[in-house]
Structures are given as C-alpha cells and as structure tokens.
Amino acid sequence: MFKSLNAVRIGGREVLPLIEGGKGISATNHMSSGAWALAGGIGTVSAVNADSYDADGNIIPQIYNGRTRRDRHEELIRYAIEGGVEQVRRAWEVASGKGAININILWEMGGAQRVLEGVLERTKGLVAGVTCGAGMPYRLSEIAASHGVHYYPIVSSARAFRALWKRAYHKAAEWLGAVVYEDPWRAGGHNGLSNAEDPLKPEDPYPRVKAIRDVMRQEGIPDDVPIVMAGGVWNLSEWEHWIDNKELGAVAFQFGTRPLVTQESPIPDEWKQRLLTLEEGDVLLHRFSPTGFYSSAVRNPFLRELEARSERQIPFTTEEVGEHVFELDAGNLPRGQKAFVTQGDLFRAREWAALGYTEALKTPDSTLVFVTPESKAEIRKDQSDCMGCLSQCSFSSWADNEKNTTGYLADPRSFCIQKTLQSIGHGGDVEQNLMFAGHNAYRFKSDPFYSNGFIPTVKQLIERIVSGK
C-alpha cells in the first residue's frame, strides 16, 4: 500500500508537496494554477507573456505595432507585465486562499528582470514564490527577497546550484523556498543539459538529487527546505522510496505534463487529444530552439521539418580551399556572391534544388541550408518581425544589449519561438507548431485513468496522484 503523502512546509506555507509546473506562453494560466492551489498544492502561473483580457473577458491578442525591434520589445514587456498581473489576480481568486500561488519566469526571456519586478510590484500578498530557470538567475534571490517572496531556482546539477549559492543566494538564505531539480533528459520544454552530459544517455536522478542535498547541507541549508523532483514524474508509487528518505531530506514533486490534460488546462482541446495518442519515443530532445538550450517537444511535422531542413545542409567557403573547389550553381545565392563546395555536396545541392528546395540560406557555421521559396519567405518575415522575446535569439540575432544584436548571422535552422507558442496555445494547428511535452507524455495512452478519453479536473488529478497512481 502506498504510504500517505503528508503536507509539508514549503515557502512558509503548509501545502501538499505537489507543485504544478509553470509552462510558458499560455500553457499554464489562472484556471489551472488556481485549481491546483485550491486542491492544496502549489499552483504556478506562467509569467512568460501571459494572456490579459479586455472588458468583456476576451483574450487580448499580442499584436506588435512598433517599427523597430526595440519598440516591439517594449510592447512585449508591457504585455508580459499586464498578463502576469492579471493571471496572478485571477488565480488567487480561484484558489480562495488555499495552497499557494507561485509564478514562473524564464531567466533568458527578453526583459525577464523587468517583467518579474513589474509583476511582483503589483501583486503584493498574492504571490508566494518565484520559480525560475533557463539560465543562471543570479539576481533571482535579490529580487524575490526585496518583494518578500520565496525563490525556487531550477537547476539540473549540484554544480549549478553551488555556483548560484556561492555567488548570490547565500545573501538571501531565508527566502529560499525550495530547489527544483529539473531532469534534463525527462522534462518537457527547455532542458539544462551541459556539454559534459550525453543527451542520449539519461542518468538516474537519485544520485544527482542526493548530490544537490549534499551541497545544501555543506552550506548549512536545513533538510526541511525541499528539493523538488521535476521531469519524468507520473505515479508517486514509483517514487515512494524518495518520500521520508533521510538521505534526500524533504522532497516534493512537480508535474508539468499531466496537468495539461485537465478540464482547467487552458490549452486547446486538439492539443489535449493529441497528447492522449502519443507513443513512447514521440517526444524528441533536440537543439533547434533559438535559445541555444536543448528542449523536449512532440516530434510532429513541425519538428520533423526542422530536422529535414538541417539535413539539407552543406559546408561552403567563399574561395577555393582544399576540396571546396566546385562553384555552387544551385541555391539562388544573392547576385555577386559565390560559394565553393565539394563535388559530392554540389551533387546533393542540385538534387535538393530539383526537388523544389531552390533557396540556399547561410548559417552562422559557414554552411548553407536549402529550403523552398515559400519557406525562405516565411523565415525572413519571422526574422524581421522579431520582438525580442529572448535575451538572445539565434534565429533573429536579437540580443537585449545596446546594439540589440548577438553579433552573429541569424540562423535559418531555428524558428520564431514566440510565434509558434502563441499559435499553438491559442488554437493553432498542433501538427504545424512547436508542442512542448515531457518524455512521459506517452503514458496518457496506457494509463487507465484516461480510458475512453477521460479528462479529469485538477482536483481529480491531484486525488489520483495522492493515491500513488
């Protein structure tokens, strides 16, 4: 029989050790996070370009009118603050004072610090904590402490947490709510794999979490400050040996994928139904994201097209060098530009052109990728429409600095992440947009809880989780 799951003290509140993962751009909102808190856990509002509403309750489309990227970036920050504040207020009303409401921020999103400050300034007393990952958020503890809320850094290794603690977090030790260990091989969305780790060889999370606890103990952090296991958690019965485990100290569990398929989940029904059909292996860990991070998403036609695009790729030189002595005569390069390739790559380029991939686009790695004229037009438009949703974007070469550029050529092998996530979150084609999901998403199809297409309420899901199933 599954051992009972008791409430624990996290971030100064008695809650179930169950945390809703904050999924960016409309995949988590006030309905799901408020319901999660109402059921006694920690609901997490995504403060990543969250939706706001007009006087009639309709979602306000995030349309950008600025002439420059900098102008559009300022519009994006205003949208993000207004949306974050509105979602927190509505989540608080749904929760009715139960559980806790956290907000989730991606440190590498455009204007992250300004958005975080803006939301916290206008939601005093409503937000219990800030969960933050996607980068090394050294200022997270300082900002959270200044607003009297707890902070929950997301890390994928003990080394990362030690660096954060030594450099900054020890100055605000009392505001550390928990440390979130996000498994880089199993979690959905962006993942924190380091260059020393093999993306094809998942590691056991237990020793990695134990290593984090060891660092916490070395730094004098009490064992009752939980480590949150995030990524790959489905049934708690599979994690029973983690609960009340003295070696690990206090633990909690974060669920990102399972809350997507609930009645309160704001994602479109088409997305929910697609998740119910996935097979094992349908979620791909890839590096197409313009953030530069690995990320995990459903391997639908959108993702497969990116895979195929990168496969239609050859190196080139601007002068005859080594084996690159054959002038490229396919790919419609701009007038006056020349590219030299190997003989084998010349034949490949001609074959691609014959199939309709007649446009060669340069990458920052001195390669050419071959796309159709329609794809080229879409890529160029998306790049020119950039609104700076990331601190640095490889796809558009935007950077949140004085020159607003990374200094590198825009990379056509990537995509506009803001565009596709806004689209899928608001009814766009689930096959032609990026669909984030954790690697356990295939379990929807085999879990009897979801038999006959059953979609539970958040309350029913939490009851199921508490039972160990």
Side-chain angles (χ1 to χ4, degrees):
M1 181 176 179
F2 180 70
K3 66 176 67 172
S4 61
L5 191 67
N6 299 314
V8 297
R9 193 162 185 81
I10 306 179
R13 296 171 184 245
E14 290 289 331
V15 294
L16 288 172
L18 304 177
I19 299 174
E20 176 196 26
K23 298 165 286 295
I25 305 191
S26 305
T28 305
N29 74 353
H30 67 278
M31 294 185 296
S32 57
S33 56
W36 197 275
L38 181 63
I42 297 179
T44 308
V45 167
S46 171
V48 182
N49 296 107
D51 288 330
S52 51
Y53 307 89
D54 63 21
D56 297 321
N58 300 310
I59 293 174
I60 297 173
Q62 295 191 12
I63 298 171
Y64 298 87
N65 299 306
R67 294 184 60 187
T68 67
R69 287 182 175 181
R70 172 54 64 181
D71 290 340
R72 295 192 293 273
H73 181 65
E74 292 301 317
E75 290 179 85
L76 176 132
I77 290 173
R78 288 195 295 272
Y79 277 131
I81 293 174
E82 291 300 325
V85 169
E86 184 66 18
Q87 294 298 334
V88 167
R89 288 174 177 169
R90 290 181 177 226
W92 177 262
E93 292 175 0
V94 173
S96 303
K98 304 286 180 60
I101 299 294
N102 282 5
I103 61 174
N104 173 255
I105 286 284
L106 304 181
W107 197 247
E108 292 301 328
M109 76 181 199
Q113 295 181 49
R114 291 173 61 190
V115 173
L116 179 56
E117 294 269 18
V119 173
L120 291 178
E121 285 173 2
R122 292 170 54 187
T123 56
K124 294 185 185 302
L126 306 183
V127 173
V130 180
T131 308
C132 184
M136 293 293 280
Y138 289 110
R139 290 202 62 223
L140 173 63
S141 58
E142 173 192 342
I143 295 172
S146 70
H147 290 275
V149 301
H150 288 81
Y151 60 100
Y152 298 68
I154 299 174
V155 299
S156 295
S157 68
R159 180 181 179 183
F161 178 71
R162 180 185 285 111
L164 290 166
W165 185 264
K166 292 285 191 184
R167 177 166 164 178
Y169 291 0
H170 71 277
K171 300 174 186 177
E174 69 275 22
W175 292 103
L176 178 64
V179 178
V180 181
Y181 169 74
E182 186 174 70
D183 191 289
W185 292 276
R186 298 168 179 85
H190 290 103
N191 308 90
L193 275 171
S194 72
N195 291 331
E197 292 161 336
D198 188 337
L200 300 178
K201 294 181 179 179
E203 296 182 12
D204 181 359
Y206 187 97
R208 295 171 69 91
V209 170
K210 172 61 167 57
I212 293 173
R213 179 61 72 188
D214 290 344
V215 170
M216 294 172 71
R217 286 171 176 155
Q218 291 165 13
E219 300 300 334
I221 302 170
D223 273 11
D224 61 359
V225 175
I227 297 176
V228 180
M229 177 63 209
V233 182
W234 192 268
N235 296 333
L236 286 188
S237 59
E238 299 166 351
W239 301 83
E240 191 169 11
H241 61 294
W242 286 48
I243 301 170
D244 300 328
N245 183 318
K246 291 183 179 180
E247 192 172 48
L248 295 181
V251 294
F253 299 92
Q254 179 169 299
F255 294 81
T257 298
R258 287 193 78 171
L260 285 171
V261 183
T262 59
Q263 292 183 27
E264 292 89 347
S265 169
I267 68 172
D269 287 340
E270 187 181 5
W271 188 349
K272 295 177 186 179
Q273 294 302 320
R274 184 71 180 89
L275 290 172
L276 292 172
T277 69
L278 295 179
E279 302 285 351
E280 187 169 6
D282 279 353
V283 174
L284 177 70
L285 182 62
H286 65 89
R287 293 207 75 174
F288 297 115
S289 171
T291 61
F293 295 117
Y294 279 93
S295 67
S296 295
V298 175
R299 192 169 177 262
N300 59 4
F302 174 86
L303 209 51
R304 289 200 297 271
E305 196 282 324
L306 287 169
E307 291 180 278
R309 186 187 303 174
S310 280
E311 289 170 1
R312 295 190 302 273
Q313 181 175 193
I314 56 175
F316 76 98
T317 58
T318 56
E319 298 177 348
E320 296 184 30
V321 178
E323 295 182 356
H324 290 72
V325 295
F326 295 87
E327 184 174 346
L328 185 66
D329 58 9
N332 289 335
L333 290 171
R335 180 173 297 178
Q337 293 190 12
K338 294 183 178 182
F340 294 92
V341 298
T342 66
Q343 186 177 44
D345 285 342
L346 176 63
F347 293 153
R348 274 187 283 275
R350 289 172 176 172
E351 290 174 359
W352 294 330
L355 293 172
Y357 302 104
T358 58
E359 309 301 310
L361 302 179
K362 293 181 179 179
T363 80
D365 299 323
S366 296
T367 64
L368 296 169
V369 292
F370 287 74
V371 300
T372 64
E374 295 79 13
S375 182
K376 176 184 176 180
E378 182 179 15
I379 290 168
R380 293 301 188 221
K381 183 178 189 308
D382 289 346
Q383 289 172 333
S384 66
D385 287 346
C386 174
M387 73 293 289
C389 72
L390 300 173
S391 63
Q392 294 189 75
C393 175
S394 64
F395 177 66
S396 67
S397 79
W398 156 273
D400 195 358
N401 56 29
E402 285 187 8
K403 295 183 179 180
N404 292 146
T405 178
T406 61
Y408 297 99
L409 189 68
D411 196 336
R413 296 168 296 187
S414 189
F415 57 92
C416 177
I417 196 165
Q418 175 80 198
K419 172 188 171 183
T420 188
L421 292 180
Q422 286 285 3
S423 176
I424 194 170
H426 296 93
D429 189 342
V430 298
E431 300 299 344
Q432 298 301 327
N433 282 294
L434 183 69
M435 190 194 310
F436 280 141
H439 289 260
N440 265 349
Y442 73 93
R443 297 182 68 170
F444 282 119
K445 187 173 183 179
S446 58
D447 191 324
F449 187 53
Y450 302 94
S451 295
N452 300 315
F454 175 65
I455 296 179
T457 64
V458 165
K459 183 175 184 293
Q460 289 171 322
L461 174 58
I462 287 186
E463 289 173 348
R464 178 79 171 182
I465 291 170
V466 168
S467 75
K469 300 178 180 179

mmCIF file of all heavy atoms in Angstrom, residues 107 113 116-117 120 137-149 151 168-169 171-172 175:
data_model
loop_
_atom_site.group_PDB
_atom_site.id
_atom_site.type_symbol
_atom_site.label_atom_id
_atom_site.label_comp_id
_atom_site.label_asym_id
_atom_site.label_seq_id
_atom_site.Cartn_x
_atom_site.Cartn_y
_atom_site.Cartn_z
ATOM 1 N N TRP A 107 14.633 32.942 -17.076
ATOM 2 C CA TRP A 107 15.638 33.989 -16.906
ATOM 3 C C TRP A 107 16.159 34.512 -18.242
ATOM 4 O O TRP A 107 16.548 35.685 -18.351
ATOM 5 C CB TRP A 107 16.798 33.470 -16.068
ATOM 6 C CG TRP A 107 17.659 34.556 -15.513
ATOM 7 C CD1 TRP A 107 18.952 34.835 -15.830
ATOM 8 C CD2 TRP A 107 17.271 35.527 -14.529
ATOM 9 N NE1 TRP A 107 19.396 35.908 -15.106
ATOM 10 C CE2 TRP A 107 18.383 36.355 -14.299
ATOM 11 C CE3 TRP A 107 16.088 35.774 -13.826
ATOM 12 C CZ2 TRP A 107 18.351 37.422 -13.389
ATOM 13 C CZ3 TRP A 107 16.057 36.819 -12.927
ATOM 14 C CH2 TRP A 107 17.168 37.629 -12.713
ATOM 15 N N GLN A 113 13.991 40.405 -15.964
ATOM 16 C CA GLN A 113 14.060 41.084 -14.676
ATOM 17 C C GLN A 113 13.015 42.197 -14.576
ATOM 18 O O GLN A 113 12.387 42.374 -13.530
ATOM 19 C CB GLN A 113 15.465 41.643 -14.469
ATOM 20 C CG GLN A 113 16.517 40.557 -14.369
ATOM 21 C CD GLN A 113 17.912 41.109 -14.140
ATOM 22 O OE1 GLN A 113 18.120 41.942 -13.266
ATOM 23 N NE2 GLN A 113 18.872 40.647 -14.940
ATOM 24 N N LEU A 116 9.615 40.475 -14.072
ATOM 25 C CA LEU A 116 9.486 39.951 -12.718
ATOM 26 C C LEU A 116 9.224 41.075 -11.726
ATOM 27 O O LEU A 116 8.313 40.979 -10.889
ATOM 28 C CB LEU A 116 10.758 39.188 -12.348
ATOM 29 C CG LEU A 116 10.806 38.580 -10.944
ATOM 30 C CD1 LEU A 116 9.619 37.652 -10.714
ATOM 31 C CD2 LEU A 116 12.118 37.836 -10.735
ATOM 32 N N GLU A 117 9.992 42.130 -11.801
ATOM 33 C CA GLU A 117 9.779 43.276 -10.911
ATOM 34 C C GLU A 117 8.395 43.871 -11.108
ATOM 35 O O GLU A 117 7.683 44.186 -10.144
ATOM 36 C CB GLU A 117 10.844 44.344 -11.169
ATOM 37 C CG GLU A 117 12.259 43.944 -10.803
ATOM 38 C CD GLU A 117 12.618 44.329 -9.377
ATOM 39 O OE1 GLU A 117 11.700 44.591 -8.575
ATOM 40 O OE2 GLU A 117 13.825 44.345 -9.071
ATOM 41 N N LEU A 120 5.654 41.495 -9.587
ATOM 42 C CA LEU A 120 5.690 41.431 -8.127
ATOM 43 C C LEU A 120 5.258 42.740 -7.476
ATOM 44 O O LEU A 120 4.606 42.731 -6.417
ATOM 45 C CB LEU A 120 7.094 41.050 -7.653
ATOM 46 C CG LEU A 120 7.542 39.616 -7.960
ATOM 47 C CD1 LEU A 120 8.969 39.387 -7.480
ATOM 48 C CD2 LEU A 120 6.595 38.595 -7.337
ATOM 49 N N PRO A 137 20.092 32.365 -13.004
ATOM 50 C CA PRO A 137 19.441 33.588 -12.490
ATOM 51 C C PRO A 137 20.058 34.075 -11.177
ATOM 52 O O PRO A 137 19.469 33.946 -10.103
ATOM 53 C CB PRO A 137 17.996 33.148 -12.314
ATOM 54 C CG PRO A 137 18.086 31.681 -11.999
ATOM 55 C CD PRO A 137 19.255 31.177 -12.800
ATOM 56 N N TYR A 138 21.227 34.682 -11.257
ATOM 57 C CA TYR A 138 21.923 35.108 -10.049
ATOM 58 C C TYR A 138 21.143 36.162 -9.264
ATOM 59 O O TYR A 138 21.209 36.190 -8.039
ATOM 60 C CB TYR A 138 23.308 35.656 -10.414
ATOM 61 C CG TYR A 138 24.286 34.594 -10.859
ATOM 62 C CD1 TYR A 138 24.703 34.504 -12.181
ATOM 63 C CD2 TYR A 138 24.773 33.667 -9.949
ATOM 64 C CE1 TYR A 138 25.598 33.523 -12.588
ATOM 65 C CE2 TYR A 138 25.667 32.672 -10.345
ATOM 66 C CZ TYR A 138 26.076 32.607 -11.669
ATOM 67 O OH TYR A 138 26.951 31.626 -12.063
ATOM 68 N N ARG A 139 20.377 37.014 -9.927
ATOM 69 C CA ARG A 139 19.670 38.089 -9.225
ATOM 70 C C ARG A 139 18.301 37.656 -8.705
ATOM 71 O O ARG A 139 17.591 38.439 -8.092
ATOM 72 C CB ARG A 139 19.500 39.308 -10.140
ATOM 73 C CG ARG A 139 20.782 40.062 -10.446
ATOM 74 C CD ARG A 139 20.480 41.499 -10.869
ATOM 75 N NE ARG A 139 19.816 42.241 -9.816
ATOM 76 C CZ ARG A 139 18.772 43.053 -10.011
ATOM 77 N NH1 ARG A 139 18.246 43.181 -11.230
ATOM 78 N NH2 ARG A 139 18.239 43.724 -9.008
ATOM 79 N N LEU A 140 17.928 36.401 -8.942
ATOM 80 C CA LEU A 140 16.615 35.925 -8.520
ATOM 81 C C LEU A 140 16.399 36.110 -7.023
ATOM 82 O O LEU A 140 15.352 36.614 -6.596
ATOM 83 C CB LEU A 140 16.459 34.445 -8.891
ATOM 84 C CG LEU A 140 15.207 33.738 -8.368
ATOM 85 C CD1 LEU A 140 13.949 34.354 -8.954
ATOM 86 C CD2 LEU A 140 15.271 32.243 -8.673
ATOM 87 N N SER A 141 17.360 35.700 -6.210
ATOM 88 C CA SER A 141 17.196 35.784 -4.758
ATOM 89 C C SER A 141 17.057 37.227 -4.299
ATOM 90 O O SER A 141 16.230 37.538 -3.430
ATOM 91 C CB SER A 141 18.382 35.119 -4.052
ATOM 92 O OG SER A 141 19.606 35.727 -4.439
ATOM 93 N N GLU A 142 17.836 38.108 -4.878
ATOM 94 C CA GLU A 142 17.790 39.528 -4.510
ATOM 95 C C GLU A 142 16.428 40.143 -4.825
ATOM 96 O O GLU A 142 15.834 40.839 -3.992
ATOM 97 C CB GLU A 142 18.893 40.271 -5.260
ATOM 98 C CG GLU A 142 18.870 41.777 -5.100
ATOM 99 C CD GLU A 142 19.796 42.474 -6.093
ATOM 100 O OE1 GLU A 142 20.689 41.800 -6.655
ATOM 101 O OE2 GLU A 142 19.616 43.676 -6.306
ATOM 102 N N ILE A 143 15.928 39.856 -6.028
ATOM 103 C CA ILE A 143 14.636 40.421 -6.429
ATOM 104 C C ILE A 143 13.509 39.844 -5.584
ATOM 105 O O ILE A 143 12.638 40.581 -5.093
ATOM 106 C CB ILE A 143 14.380 40.169 -7.927
ATOM 107 C CG1 ILE A 143 15.418 40.930 -8.769
ATOM 108 C CG2 ILE A 143 12.958 40.581 -8.316
ATOM 109 C CD1 ILE A 143 15.368 40.583 -10.251
ATOM 110 N N ALA A 144 13.505 38.530 -5.394
ATOM 111 C CA ALA A 144 12.452 37.890 -4.609
ATOM 112 C C ALA A 144 12.451 38.421 -3.172
ATOM 113 O O ALA A 144 11.400 38.775 -2.627
ATOM 114 C CB ALA A 144 12.624 36.381 -4.624
ATOM 115 N N ALA A 145 13.624 38.471 -2.555
ATOM 116 C CA ALA A 145 13.719 38.932 -1.169
ATOM 117 C C ALA A 145 13.239 40.370 -1.018
ATOM 118 O O ALA A 145 12.579 40.717 -0.021
ATOM 119 C CB ALA A 145 15.161 38.801 -0.671
ATOM 120 N N SER A 146 13.525 41.206 -2.003
ATOM 121 C CA SER A 146 13.119 42.613 -1.916
ATOM 122 C C SER A 146 11.608 42.775 -1.957
ATOM 123 O O SER A 146 11.074 43.802 -1.522
ATOM 124 C CB SER A 146 13.761 43.425 -3.045
ATOM 125 O OG SER A 146 13.208 43.081 -4.310
ATOM 126 N N HIS A 147 10.914 41.747 -2.460
ATOM 127 C CA HIS A 147 9.456 41.789 -2.520
ATOM 128 C C HIS A 147 8.815 40.861 -1.482
ATOM 129 O O HIS A 147 7.581 40.704 -1.479
ATOM 130 C CB HIS A 147 8.974 41.423 -3.919
ATOM 131 C CG HIS A 147 9.275 42.470 -4.946
ATOM 132 N ND1 HIS A 147 8.453 43.551 -5.174
ATOM 133 C CD2 HIS A 147 10.334 42.612 -5.788
ATOM 134 C CE1 HIS A 147 8.984 44.312 -6.121
ATOM 135 N NE2 HIS A 147 10.119 43.766 -6.514
ATOM 136 N N GLY A 148 9.643 40.253 -0.639
ATOM 137 C CA GLY A 148 9.111 39.413 0.418
ATOM 138 C C GLY A 148 8.484 38.126 -0.068
ATOM 139 O O GLY A 148 7.523 37.636 0.534
ATOM 140 N N VAL A 149 9.029 37.536 -1.133
ATOM 141 C CA VAL A 149 8.529 36.252 -1.620
ATOM 142 C C VAL A 149 9.695 35.267 -1.680
ATOM 143 O O VAL A 149 10.861 35.660 -1.750
ATOM 144 C CB VAL A 149 7.858 36.364 -3.011
ATOM 145 C CG1 VAL A 149 6.689 37.338 -2.972
ATOM 146 C CG2 VAL A 149 8.857 36.782 -4.074
ATOM 147 N N TYR A 151 12.017 32.155 -3.297
ATOM 148 C CA TYR A 151 12.508 31.855 -4.641
ATOM 149 C C TYR A 151 12.828 30.374 -4.753
ATOM 150 O O TYR A 151 13.242 29.720 -3.799
ATOM 151 C CB TYR A 151 13.723 32.710 -5.005
ATOM 152 C CG TYR A 151 14.928 32.547 -4.111
ATOM 153 C CD1 TYR A 151 16.005 31.741 -4.485
ATOM 154 C CD2 TYR A 151 15.013 33.223 -2.891
ATOM 155 C CE1 TYR A 151 17.119 31.608 -3.668
ATOM 156 C CE2 TYR A 151 16.121 33.089 -2.069
ATOM 157 C CZ TYR A 151 17.170 32.285 -2.458
ATOM 158 O OH TYR A 151 18.267 32.138 -1.651
ATOM 159 N N ALA A 168 25.478 34.309 -5.010
ATOM 160 C CA ALA A 168 24.389 35.237 -4.683
ATOM 161 C C ALA A 168 23.429 34.743 -3.615
ATOM 162 O O ALA A 168 23.084 35.484 -2.699
ATOM 163 C CB ALA A 168 23.603 35.566 -5.964
ATOM 164 N N TYR A 169 22.987 33.513 -3.705
ATOM 165 C CA TYR A 169 21.831 33.105 -2.911
ATOM 166 C C TYR A 169 22.089 33.060 -1.410
ATOM 167 O O TYR A 169 21.161 33.202 -0.612
ATOM 168 C CB TYR A 169 21.316 31.741 -3.385
ATOM 169 C CG TYR A 169 20.682 31.753 -4.759
ATOM 170 C CD1 TYR A 169 20.589 32.925 -5.515
ATOM 171 C CD2 TYR A 169 20.187 30.582 -5.330
ATOM 172 C CE1 TYR A 169 20.028 32.933 -6.771
ATOM 173 C CE2 TYR A 169 19.618 30.582 -6.594
ATOM 174 C CZ TYR A 169 19.545 31.756 -7.311
ATOM 175 O OH TYR A 169 18.978 31.757 -8.557
ATOM 176 N N LYS A 171 23.187 35.215 0.353
ATOM 177 C CA LYS A 171 22.851 36.518 0.928
ATOM 178 C C LYS A 171 21.368 36.635 1.261
ATOM 179 O O LYS A 171 20.968 37.549 1.980
ATOM 180 C CB LYS A 171 23.239 37.631 -0.055
ATOM 181 C CG LYS A 171 24.720 37.665 -0.402
ATOM 182 C CD LYS A 171 25.001 38.690 -1.485
ATOM 183 C CE LYS A 171 26.442 38.635 -1.948
ATOM 184 N NZ LYS A 171 26.710 39.587 -3.069
ATOM 185 N N ALA A 172 20.554 35.737 0.718
ATOM 186 C CA ALA A 172 19.111 35.747 0.992
ATOM 187 C C ALA A 172 18.662 34.332 1.322
ATOM 188 O O ALA A 172 17.663 33.831 0.809
ATOM 189 C CB ALA A 172 18.339 36.292 -0.210
ATOM 190 N N TRP A 175 15.026 33.212 2.293
ATOM 191 C CA TRP A 175 13.949 33.272 1.300
ATOM 192 C C TRP A 175 13.999 32.115 0.297
ATOM 193 O O TRP A 175 13.219 32.087 -0.648
ATOM 194 C CB TRP A 175 13.976 34.611 0.563
ATOM 195 C CG TRP A 175 13.607 35.760 1.453
ATOM 196 C CD1 TRP A 175 14.449 36.672 2.015
ATOM 197 C CD2 TRP A 175 12.299 36.086 1.917
ATOM 198 N NE1 TRP A 175 13.746 37.558 2.794
ATOM 199 C CE2 TRP A 175 12.419 37.220 2.752
ATOM 200 C CE3 TRP A 175 11.020 35.543 1.707
ATOM 201 C CZ2 TRP A 175 11.326 37.822 3.379
ATOM 202 C CZ3 TRP A 175 9.924 36.131 2.323
ATOM 203 C CH2 TRP A 175 10.086 37.246 3.148
#
